[in-house]
Amino acid sequence: MAAAAVKKLQVLVACALLLLLAVGCRASPLQIGFYHDRCPQAEAVVKGVMMEAISQNPGNGAAMIRMLFHDCFVEGCDASVLLDPTPFSPTPEKLSPPNNPSLRGFELIDAIKEALEVACPGTVSCADIIAFAARDASCILSAGKVHFEVPSGRRDGTFSNASEPLKFLAPPTSNLSDLVDSLVVKGLDAEDLVILSGAHTIGRSHCSSFVPDRLNAPSDINGGLAAFLRDQCPADAAPGGNDPTVMQDVVTPNDLDRQYYKNVLSHTVLFTSDAALLTSEETARMVVDNANIPGWWEDRFEKAMVKMAGIEVKTGDQGQIRKNCRAIN
């Protein structure tokens, strides 16, 4: 009886070990080098186009980083933000106020997709193109200080509606609590918020995104910056009207670096959402660390970008590989 019990226990242990091995070896939904055999030149093609585009205008890099954020937070990282209006879907995400008219880079994605369709027809998803382009933009604009591998294997979504960005993209007027909540619902946290906000060290902003609550109302914005912005921005700046753009970081406007955090500390940032990072001890301490410790922010930005690029991805048999990034097949 005892020998039978021992043998039964040994069988159970062996089965448990096999189960653990199976779980441990199960492939991640996304993989680094996903296109190694399918389209070996895929990532090199993306990088080549991005290097040329950024050399012509550094804003093209900022546009790709912002596009990844706006894509992943709505319907997951599935390129739904790229879809054009059709009679069957007249109001896609790209027409939503958080994206229109400020989100740029659609023609750049078209150029990358066209090159990839020549090299490997019907193989590389538009969702992966956005992720690769944002990764390469980060590397180029940081002069190689932000350098990371991004897993791939995303598939493209088939649904896009202008109401969705309003639910998931917190506006620049948001307070810290609302900002954190908007990330937590997507599996990110307060540190990710602080780290990803550092991307505001590049790119431009429409005046209407900050004039009402930062210049036309009491705020902690630095007086010198406020005076400069009033020279650049009309007091009645509004989307679709007289709404110029200004650099988000006037110190190093084309460099992806930790200057943003120094700007937060000196109250020389544009948005209420930027200033909000100083409204809690926890996030304020993170701002100080990112501002003062060389390499601290870059290392964390790499990890946060990979984390964001994995939000609610479609893989396997989900979605499709679009032939044209602006339209479902």
Side-chain angles (χ1 to χ4, degrees):
M1 181 74 73
V6 169
K7 186 169 183 62
K8 184 176 181 180
L9 181 60
Q10 289 173 334
V11 170
L12 289 172
V13 169
C15 289
L17 287 172
L18 287 171
L19 181 61
L20 286 171
L21 284 171
V23 171
C25 295
R26 187 178 299 157
S28 166
L30 300 180
Q31 301 170 30
I32 291 173
F34 179 82
Y35 294 105
H36 182 270
D37 297 323
R38 297 169 175 85
C39 183
Q41 64 270 54
E43 296 190 43
V45 168
V46 178
K47 187 171 185 178
V49 176
M50 287 305 303
M51 289 180 70
E52 175 63 23
I54 291 173
S55 71
Q56 294 177 6
N57 178 4
N60 286 324
M64 290 298 98
I65 294 171
R66 185 167 184 250
M67 184 175 284
L68 180 67
F69 170 61
H70 281 232
D71 182 41
C72 291
F73 270 70
V74 182
E75 296 296 318
C77 309
D78 69 347
S80 53
V81 74
L82 302 179
L83 291 172
D84 279 346
T86 68
F88 300 102
S89 179
T91 55
E93 289 172 33
K94 64 167 53 173
L95 297 185
S96 186
N99 295 327
N100 184 33
S102 61
L103 196 64
R104 302 188 304 107
F106 298 107
E107 294 79 10
L108 183 50
I109 295 292
D110 292 339
I112 296 171
K113 180 62 171 174
E114 183 177 346
L116 286 170
E117 284 300 300
V118 171
C120 311
T123 303
V124 182
S125 70
C126 301
D128 277 341
I129 290 173
I130 296 175
F132 290 148
R135 183 268 313 271
D136 293 338
S138 301
C139 182
I140 296 165
L141 291 173
S142 68
K145 292 180 181 177
V146 174
H147 183 79
F148 58 95
E149 299 266 23
V150 61
S152 49
R154 299 165 191 79
R155 307 238 329 154
D156 299 324
T158 57
F159 172 80
S160 182
N161 189 279
S163 65
E164 297 302 298
L166 295 169
K167 299 177 186 175
F168 297 109
L169 295 174
T173 55
S174 299
N175 62 34
L176 183 62
S177 177
D178 289 343
L179 291 166
V180 172
D181 288 347
S182 73
L183 269 74
V184 168
V185 75
K186 296 297 180 181
L188 279 65
D189 57 29
E191 183 178 21
D192 294 318
L193 167 67
V194 175
I195 296 300
L196 292 170
S197 294
H200 287 176
T201 190
I202 51 172
R204 304 181 69 90
S205 169
H206 282 271
C207 293
S208 61
S209 294
F210 60 84
V211 165
D213 58 315
R214 296 284 280 166
L215 299 183
N216 292 349
S219 75
D220 69 349
I221 194 168
N222 174 277
L225 178 62
F228 169 77
L229 293 173
R230 288 191 178 98
D231 284 340
Q232 307 294 314
C233 297
D236 60 351
N242 184 12
D243 195 12
T245 62
V246 297
M247 290 290 187
Q248 294 197 84
D249 173 4
V250 297
V251 182
T252 57
N254 296 323
D255 297 336
L256 189 69
D257 57 19
R258 58 194 170 102
Q259 181 63 43
Y260 166 80
Y261 299 98
K262 299 177 183 179
N263 296 347
V264 173
L265 292 172
S266 62
H267 303 283
T268 53
V269 284
L270 297 183
F271 307 133
T272 294
S273 57
D274 294 325
L277 300 184
L278 295 181
T279 60
S280 87
E281 288 186 12
E282 178 191 17
T283 55
R285 184 170 58 252
M286 294 176 193
V287 170
V288 171
D289 288 342
N290 287 314
N292 294 326
I293 305 174
W296 185 271
W297 171 73
E298 289 85 351
D299 178 65
R300 283 155 182 76
F301 186 71
E302 293 167 356
K303 295 177 175 63
M305 285 287 281
V306 172
K307 192 174 177 182
M308 180 171 69
I311 294 174
E312 297 170 9
V313 294
K314 296 170 177 63
T315 59
D317 296 328
Q318 300 171 313
Q320 59 184 214
I321 305 296
R322 287 186 217 139
K323 298 175 182 176
N324 174 355
C325 289
R326 294 174 178 264
I328 62 174
N329 296 340

